[in-house]
Amino acid sequence: MVKEAKNSSIPTPHRCLIVGNYCHDVLIKDDVVIAESLGGAASFISAVLDGLSISSDYISKVGPDFIYTVNHQPITSPCTKTTVFHAHFLTENKRIDRILKRVTACDPVRPSDLPNSRFDYGLAVGVGGEILPETLERMIELCNVVFVDIQALIRVFDPVDGTVSLVHLNQTGFSPLLKKIGFLKASAEEAPYVDVEEARKWCCVVVTKGKEGCTVYTKDDELSVAPFTAFQVDPTGAGDSFLGGLVAGLAHGLAIPDAALLGNFFGSLTVGHIGLPKFDSRLVQRVKDEVLKRSLQHFRSHEKQEDEPNRLKPLDHEEFLAALSATKVVHAHSIKECNCDLHSSPGALEQPVFNGYRRLPLNPVCEKPINSVDSKP
């Protein structure tokens, strides 16, 4: 399913096509706006792929009202506004629920918007209904392997107030394309809207389960991949960061379970931020070093493994888990040491503007975990 270099000790470079609109996210807790941020799955995915040096083309649409500066320039649609989502966090009886509403919607991405070029990987990651069946079909033609976030296919929007709900994949125009994609990602809440047992016959299905990690389903195997400890303040974009980590791992030559573990790692980092996270460059470099080391180990042992029975889980998978966990712990300690006086500083609650992303210096969305840590806009 995932192509690997032959007669080489290092993986070949890979090129990705990311399709999904940027949007404006507004986070609202108990009717009070607490944060505004750049949104859209592409924004969270680019934070991971750029950090891990994965070459990618991004096809995203925005309106003339788009207010952020991004590394990958979108297509400006002159006649529509940028997609806007309001995420309402409601506190009732100490339980926090989220209601997601699409307030405005930009133009969809059409097949003619895609570059006439070949790509190793394609990611269909719409959040506001911008992925059309014919667009996904064109991606399948252009890309060797296509990854699909199920939310791009099954979200529907109330015509009055834009409230997001889900429909079964069989009720959409995307169902016939399931046999042609390589990977399908769904959260635990989204998984009931697709027949996983049927889907796994045709593609690799990955179901993210928040604090329980994720489960990988192939045609013949099923594997649970461990989570990483995280304190959740906002689940927005965690599934997108997971998918970015998964693709980056595969692009660097990791086995699927190791790539899924990398996805869990970046998902755990994302839930600790309000809105779009800014990953610390030192942490990302440490992770990149571990990934490259792991990739070299994988390719050097490839010929030996060809003579052994097929295994979904590499024998030394736990070593990679330990290495990533240690990286996270070392980073946490260094942050604590550098910011020992942070809370007494006059600027302690100020969050910087990073690459045009506005981050309001307000309280976390929720002080207690909520059910989903998966991808929302």
Side-chain angles (χ1 to χ4, degrees):
M1 182 179 299
V2 178
K3 295 177 174 59
E4 296 178 347
K6 299 297 182 181
N7 302 320
S8 175
S9 60
I10 59 174
T12 57
H14 289 80
R15 188 178 174 208
C16 298
L17 173 66
I18 318 299
V19 180
N21 287 350
Y22 293 122
C23 59
H24 295 165
D25 281 354
V26 181
L27 280 63
I28 303 168
K29 182 178 179 183
D30 297 329
D31 296 324
V32 177
V33 174
I34 61 169
E36 297 178 22
S37 178
L38 171 66
S43 61
F44 288 89
I45 289 171
S46 66
V48 178
L49 297 188
D50 290 351
L52 296 180
S53 303
I54 304 299
S55 175
S56 304
D57 287 14
Y58 289 76
I59 306 300
S60 302
K61 286 188 174 181
V62 298
D65 59 334
F66 187 60
I67 62 175
Y68 296 106
T69 301
V70 293
N71 292 333
H72 307 278
Q73 291 303 308
I75 300 169
T76 299
S77 179
C79 299
T80 58
K81 293 184 177 181
T82 301
T83 300
V84 175
F85 277 93
H86 287 185
H88 296 264
F89 293 84
L90 308 175
T91 305
E92 185 174 353
N93 296 326
K94 296 184 179 182
R95 175 179 175 176
I96 298 178
D97 294 316
R98 176 169 55 182
I99 298 175
L100 192 63
K101 296 184 179 183
R102 187 189 68 178
V103 179
T104 61
C106 195
D107 284 340
V109 179
R110 303 188 184 279
S112 58
D113 295 318
L114 304 182
N116 188 22
S117 182
R118 292 296 306 175
F119 295 88
D120 295 287
Y121 300 144
L123 282 71
V125 291
V127 295
E130 66 268 29
I131 303 291
L132 306 174
E134 56 266 35
T135 305
L136 179 57
E137 189 165 18
R138 180 58 177 158
M139 290 183 65
I140 292 170
E141 294 173 355
L142 295 174
C143 305
N144 294 338
V145 181
V146 172
F147 298 71
V148 175
D149 191 329
I150 193 68
Q151 70 177 1
L153 314 185
I154 64 173
R155 278 186 171 183
V156 292
F157 309 92
D158 185 277
V160 177
D161 67 0
T163 298
V164 177
S165 58
L166 306 176
V167 297
H168 198 279
L169 182 63
N170 290 338
Q171 298 176 248
T172 73
F174 296 98
S175 184
L177 299 175
L178 184 63
K179 297 180 180 180
K180 299 180 180 181
I181 68 174
F183 288 78
L184 182 69
K185 186 202 78 71
S187 68
E189 292 81 6
E190 295 163 342
Y193 294 89
V194 60
D195 186 340
V196 173
E197 290 303 313
E198 178 66 20
R200 69 190 292 189
K201 296 177 183 178
W202 310 106
C203 63
C204 179
V205 180
V206 184
V207 178
T208 57
K209 300 180 178 180
K211 64 181 181 181
E212 297 177 7
C214 68
T215 302
V216 177
Y217 300 89
T218 63
K219 183 177 180 180
D220 301 312
D221 293 292
E222 176 180 333
L223 174 69
S224 294
V225 180
F228 292 85
T229 302
F231 179 76
Q232 177 171 289
V233 296
D234 178 15
T236 305
D240 303 321
S241 294
F242 168 88
L243 187 57
L246 174 71
V247 172
L250 295 174
H252 277 296
L254 300 186
I256 292 175
D258 287 347
L261 189 65
L262 188 64
N264 285 347
F265 180 87
F266 279 102
S268 73
L269 295 180
T270 298
V271 298
H273 296 78
I274 298 176
L276 186 69
K278 177 188 175 184
F279 299 126
D280 183 87
S281 60
R282 294 166 297 174
L283 172 63
V284 173
Q285 185 59 53
R286 292 189 185 104
V287 172
K288 185 177 178 180
D289 291 343
E290 289 294 341
V291 169
L292 293 176
K293 180 171 70 175
R294 181 72 175 170
S295 177
L296 289 174
Q297 292 173 347
H298 172 71
F299 277 88
R300 286 169 179 167
S301 62
H302 182 70
E303 293 183 358
K304 296 179 181 180
Q305 293 174 357
E306 285 182 341
D307 297 329
E308 299 177 1
N310 289 332
R311 293 186 181 91
L312 179 61
K313 186 176 182 179
L315 291 175
D316 52 357
H317 177 77
E318 300 301 326
E319 293 181 13
F320 190 46
L321 170 61
L324 289 179
S325 298
T327 297
K328 194 171 183 181
V329 169
V330 168
H331 175 70
H333 286 169
S334 65
I335 291 295
K336 184 176 180 181
E337 292 173 0
C338 292
N339 296 286
C340 57
D341 295 326
L342 179 63
H343 295 293
S344 62
S345 168
L349 297 180
E350 295 180 4
Q351 297 189 28
V353 173
F354 170 66
N355 197 28
Y357 308 156
R358 294 191 297 120
R359 302 289 297 281
L360 300 187
L362 298 170
N363 293 330
V365 171
C366 54
E367 293 76 23
K368 296 182 179 180
I370 60 178
N371 291 335
S372 173
V373 297
D374 201 64
S375 173
K376 299 301 176 190

